[in-house]
Amino acid sequence: MPDLKTVLIADDDAFIREDIADLLSDFGCELLQTATARETFDIASTRSPHVILLDLRFPDCRDLSLLKRLRASSPASEII
């Protein structure tokens, strides 16, 4: 069996996270969800997901600094 791909869904809106997770659930991916910039960075740094679906505005970060930090800490992750 091929390796399970990991997708991190990072959005502060729970409804959006759940909708995306529902759409991806049939593809056989491991789905991770985060609601804050800090949580997103921590999970991405430790888990190195294959894909990060990233909202750019969180209550604890409202600029592109998280994107820059993720690119530096998880260079193998595709960030959308």
Side-chain angles (χ1 to χ4, degrees), residues 23-75:
L23 289 170
L24 296 177
S25 64
D26 291 337
F27 290 96
C29 300
E30 177 184 16
L31 300 175
L32 307 172
Q33 297 183 38
T34 57
T36 67
R38 180 176 185 90
E39 184 181 30
T40 300
F41 183 77
D42 290 346
I43 295 294
S45 297
T46 58
R47 298 293 304 272
S48 298
H50 294 93
V51 176
I52 301 171
L53 300 176
L54 180 66
D55 184 9
L56 293 178
R57 291 190 174 194
F58 291 93
D60 58 336
C61 181
R62 299 190 81 61
D63 58 21
L64 296 177
S65 62
L66 175 59
L67 175 61
K68 293 174 187 175
R69 291 175 57 210
L70 288 171
R71 283 187 175 155
S73 70
S74 302

